[in-house]
Amino acid sequence: QSALTQPPSASGSPGQSVTISCTGTSSDVGGYDYVSWYQQHPGKVPKVMIYEVNRRPSGVPDRFSGSKSGNTASLTVSGLQAEDEADYYCYSYGGSNNFGVFGTGTKVTVL
Amino acid sequence: DVQLLESGGGLVQPGGSLRLSCAASGFTFRDYGMTWVRQAPGKGLEWVSTVSGHGSTTHYADSVKGRFTISRDNSLDTMSLQMNSLRPEDTAVYFCAKTSYFRYDYWGQGTLVTVSS
């Protein structure tokens, strides 16, 4: 159960867009449409921002969007705002033998 | 409102045991899977274990398999994690999370487990 691979950091100026990648294998990201993304501010509890690759829970701004191609999922934050500065983690279901795995995490900085 | 409240964390020596609990309210507990996720100090999230709504199906990360046991009591709306043979690398904040179709839509505030001599 190796962690999914994310870039350690990403940044953008207010109003710009940032895209975070999440690379797994055909046994997790590539095999199921059960990829979700979590935002975590320092000292706070993670919050789900995207589920099932590209679905947004109620209350999450439509500036957040998700996609997937092959074994790589992506989270895009458009129109960056100061409050978007946080750590972001992807997660994928991995089947009954490797049920779940998180990504390594990406720190997003708003310049 | 959905509420999840963890308890049972603390300081334990290597090789020791600890039992964590998660008390749930605000939703029909038996209808949802429940999960433990941990986060070592300054590190990322790690999925630990998931139990199905009826409690008969469980899954474990390789790092805890054979040492940790997840369970639930649907009559009390509680979930537990029995942790045995604890190692220093098990030191982390342990979160319980409501599980809905392989996503974690509500999280508790977490309980800190420290394994040290």
Side-chain angles (χ1 to χ4, degrees), chain A residues 5-58:
Chain A
T5 301
Q6 299 180 232
S9 62
S11 63
S13 299
Q16 291 186 331
S17 295
V18 65
T19 296
I20 304 166
S21 62
C22 169
T23 301
T25 68
S26 58
S27 296
D28 38 62
V29 175
Y32 306 92
D33 285 339
Y34 290 121
V35 175
S36 50
W37 289 88
Y38 299 85
Q39 177 192 64
Q40 186 180 33
H41 289 106
K44 299 299 186 181
V45 172
K47 174 186 176 183
V48 61
M49 306 302 284
I50 294 287
Y51 67 99
E52 293 175 13
V53 176
N54 56 17
R55 301 183 69 175
R56 245 183 345 268
S58 60

Side-chain angles (χ1 to χ4, degrees), chain B:
Chain B
D1 285 4
V2 171
Q3 292 194 6
L4 300 170
L5 184 61
E6 303 94 338
S7 61
L11 175 63
V12 61
Q13 292 187 340
S17 297
L18 212 56
R19 187 177 183 88
L20 305 183
S21 294
C22 173
S25 62
F27 63 101
T28 305
F29 186 68
R30 65 180 179 271
D31 286 348
Y32 294 92
M34 294 293 293
T35 294
W36 289 98
V37 175
R38 69 184 181 184
Q39 187 168 35
K43 303 297 184 181
L45 301 174
E46 180 186 12
W47 172 79
V48 174
S49 183
T50 295
V51 60
S52 61
H54 41 73
S56 60
T57 303
T58 58
H59 302 275
Y60 298 94
D62 288 344
S63 57
V64 306
K65 200 171 295 184
R67 301 187 298 123
F68 289 12
T69 302
I70 192 171
S71 61
R72 64 190 295 158
D73 186 335
N74 287 347
S75 67
L76 297 177
D77 290 355
T78 60
M79 172 182 66
S80 297
L81 186 68
Q82 177 66 43
M83 304 186 296
N84 299 331
S85 303
L86 282 162
R87 306 166 179 168
E89 55 264 36
D90 295 319
T91 294
V93 173
Y94 285 73
F95 298 100
C96 70
K98 173 177 170 284
T99 305
S100 181
Y101 290 99
F102 310 110
R103 75 179 183 273
Y104 308 123
D105 52 0
Y106 290 92
W107 298 62
Q109 291 298 310
T111 186
L112 176 62
V113 172
T114 303
V115 184
S116 174
S117 54

